[in-house]
Amino acid sequence: MKELIDKYLNDSINGLEMERLKVWLEKEKNQKKFKTILESHYLINLGIQEVDLDREYSLLMDKLEGKSTSRSRSGFVWFKRASIFLGLLGLAYMIQRTTAGSDKMEVNGNAIMIKQENGNAQIIKEDGSVEIVDNKGRIIGKQNGTQLDYRNSVAAEADNLSNDILTYNELVVPYGKKMKLILSDSTVVHINSGTSLKYPVKFLENKDRKVFLEGEAFFEVTKSNTAPFIVNTDKIDIRVLGTKFDVSAYRDDEHVSTVLVEGSVEISTSGRSTIGEEKYLLEPGQIGSWNKSMDNINIAETDVNEYTSWINGEIIFRIRPFPEILKVLERHYNVSITNNYRLLDRQQFFAKFDTESIEQVLTYFQNSTPFQYTRNGDRIEIDQPQ
């Protein structure tokens, strides 16, 4: 059915196919799927943000349900329906032409998004509930609020999915938001703000379970003696069989770190090191920190709560440099902070926050080392006190 909808949106559907689509849309569950596909199409592929899709869809559904239309007028109904969306297609084409010179079209930088290999993308609303479908219209995952689940849906469609080719999705979580992802093997991934995770829709049996991370995530890996779980980052790989650990691999951080809560993990440079491949084993309560500029790794004991508290909405700093603290605050509160008071760059702080606002957090630091700040929307500027 996804192919029919694609034909409709591309204005290549014939009369018989249009009738099949009409019959399919008589079911309420199919109407929800159709609306989700339309939203993705217009919001992502065509870049439209100002069109009231809910209103247009409601008018369309009224016509389909025959509230004021007889069967003999079905051709007119479908003509009106096509006119509505063909008009939107024309508007989208004009928008695309006017933005063709830009390197990247950003639909909504503050939206959680799922990207598929075929180029389709879908916005995830934190208070919503939708089904994730592939390019053939098959259900591959289900979203309910801030949880995205690939288990039962994938299992139900397993016979229709290839057993030897990996198909990837990518979940993009912007600053100020978090998501919980359950992979097809029941591994649970808590994804922090400002993070993207690329993962297979379905892992292959007895093969490495590999995901690609930029940002921070906490993994609760389902144990397997035959299929190692590998987290790939820009600098290091983390290899496990079943365990709980946190990985922080933000592009603008100086370090890529792994904190082990339980089980065991192996950190590998995978040939990225200038001195060849190196492997390190972590024990529970240890942190492995890879220094990007120095091209080396350091293993040390640590308080794991400091690095995993974000899962429960808390922020803990145990003697952390102020510049590192500001990066964490930017991601957590979705703000941009500029520090013009260089004295603060040399300060380290101990602090714990949960429900405090960004203003309350800054006041806490002001009480320790006085400074002044101004806020303009999502931009904060810190200056020396007068």
Side-chain angles (χ1 to χ4, degrees):
M1 192 53 62
K2 177 67 163 54
E3 295 178 0
L4 289 184
I5 297 174
D6 286 340
K7 284 186 176 182
Y8 167 70
L9 293 173
N10 294 325
D11 196 27
S12 61
I13 193 169
N14 60 37
L16 180 61
E17 292 171 332
M18 185 77 82
E19 200 64 32
R20 286 177 55 199
L21 183 60
K22 179 180 177 181
V23 173
W24 182 75
L25 282 169
E26 291 177 356
K27 294 184 178 180
E28 183 178 355
K29 66 176 183 179
N30 292 338
Q31 293 173 12
K32 292 180 179 179
K33 292 179 183 179
F34 183 53
K35 185 175 180 181
T36 298
I37 294 171
L38 287 180
E39 287 178 335
S40 297
H41 181 79
Y42 291 110
L43 289 175
I44 305 298
N45 298 334
L46 300 179
I48 293 179
Q49 299 182 61
E50 300 299 326
V51 177
D52 188 347
L53 282 173
D54 286 336
R55 180 177 179 276
E56 297 294 351
Y57 181 80
S58 178
L59 292 174
L60 186 150
M61 286 298 107
D62 285 346
K63 292 184 177 69
L64 290 178
E65 292 169 5
K67 290 186 176 179
S68 60
T69 308
S70 66
R71 188 171 184 85
S72 63
R73 296 181 62 198
S74 61
F76 175 76
V77 170
W78 284 107
F79 173 79
K80 292 288 288 182
R81 175 178 179 271
S83 298
I84 291 173
F85 286 103
L86 285 176
L88 295 180
L89 284 170
L91 176 60
Y93 176 75
M94 292 175 62
I95 292 174
Q96 286 180 314
R97 286 295 297 268
T98 58
T99 58
S102 62
D103 294 329
K104 180 180 180 181
M105 180 185 295
E106 185 171 328
V107 175
N108 186 346
N110 198 39
I112 299 172
M113 190 178 301
I114 295 177
K115 300 178 181 179
Q116 299 191 28
E117 279 189 341
N118 59 11
N120 289 344
Q122 184 168 348
I123 287 178
I124 296 296
K125 300 177 181 178
E126 294 171 279
D127 58 351
S129 178
V130 299
E131 293 175 336
I132 312 302
V133 298
D134 63 10
N135 62 339
K136 295 183 178 180
R138 298 175 302 198
I139 300 172
I140 56 176
K142 294 184 178 180
Q143 174 251 341
N144 185 15
T146 57
Q147 177 172 298
L148 183 59
D149 194 339
Y150 280 76
R151 291 173 302 176
N152 297 331
S153 299
V154 172
E157 302 281 343
D159 292 339
N160 295 324
L161 294 173
S162 173
N163 291 321
D164 55 3
I165 299 177
L166 288 173
T167 302
Y168 285 90
N169 280 186
E170 182 178 4
L171 179 60
V172 180
V173 181
Y175 284 2
K177 299 181 184 296
K178 297 180 180 66
M179 281 290 290
K180 178 181 178 181
L181 172 66
I182 306 177
L183 299 174
S184 64
D185 66 341
S186 296
T187 289
V188 178
V189 188
H190 301 269
I191 301 176
N192 205 353
S193 306
T195 298
S196 65
L197 182 72
K198 185 177 178 181
Y199 52 93
V201 169
K202 185 177 187 299
F203 291 113
L204 302 183
E205 188 175 357
N206 298 325
K207 301 290 186 179
D208 288 355
R209 297 170 290 169
K210 194 168 189 176
V211 300
F212 301 84
L213 174 71
E214 181 180 323
E216 183 172 17
F218 181 84
F219 296 84
E220 300 177 56
V221 178
T222 299
K223 185 175 178 58
S224 172
N225 293 323
T226 58
F229 192 96
I230 301 172
V231 181
N232 174 275
T233 73
D234 182 47
K235 295 296 180 182
I236 61 175
D237 288 349
I238 298 93
R239 181 185 180 94
V240 303
L241 294 176
T243 187
K244 296 182 180 181
F245 62 101
D246 183 87
V247 179
S248 181
Y250 288 103
R251 185 183 296 272
D252 57 349
D253 280 357
E254 180 63 20
H255 296 84
V256 176
S257 64
T258 303
V259 176
L260 181 60
V261 176
E262 65 178 52
S264 63
V265 301
E266 176 186 88
I267 301 176
S268 170
T269 60
S270 300
R272 296 177 177 84
S273 172
T274 57
I275 59 176
E277 182 176 4
E278 296 180 345
K279 297 180 179 180
Y280 307 84
L281 291 177
L282 287 187
E283 297 180 358
Q286 289 185 330
I287 179 173
S289 183
W290 181 267
N291 187 300
K292 296 178 182 178
S293 59
M294 299 295 293
D295 200 18
N296 61 14
I297 194 166
N298 179 61
I299 309 294
E301 300 292 327
T302 191
D303 181 352
V304 297
N305 289 329
E306 180 179 3
Y307 296 91
T308 62
S309 60
W310 62 267
I311 300 171
N312 300 315
E314 297 179 335
I315 307 176
I316 298 177
F317 302 116
R318 300 194 188 280
I319 316 301
R320 295 277 289 278
F322 195 62
E324 291 185 14
I325 290 174
L326 292 185
K327 287 185 178 180
V328 174
L329 296 180
E330 285 182 323
R331 295 161 185 158
H332 185 80
Y333 290 101
N334 190 24
V335 294
S336 174
I337 305 176
T338 302
N339 176 31
N340 300 318
Y341 188 23
R342 295 308 170 198
L343 174 65
L344 290 171
D345 287 343
R346 301 190 296 271
Q347 304 298 309
Q348 300 188 62
F349 296 91
F350 180 98
K352 179 179 179 181
F353 308 104
D354 46 30
T355 61
E356 288 85 353
S357 66
I358 184 61
E359 289 81 6
Q360 291 173 320
V361 170
L362 291 174
T363 297
Y364 171 87
F365 292 117
Q366 280 179 317
N367 293 333
S368 176
T369 303
F371 60 85
Q372 66 180 35
Y373 74 89
T374 56
R375 179 172 185 178
N376 183 13
D378 60 357
R379 297 183 179 274
I380 297 173
E381 193 161 346
I382 296 175
D383 294 296
Q384 183 174 345
Q386 300 295 327

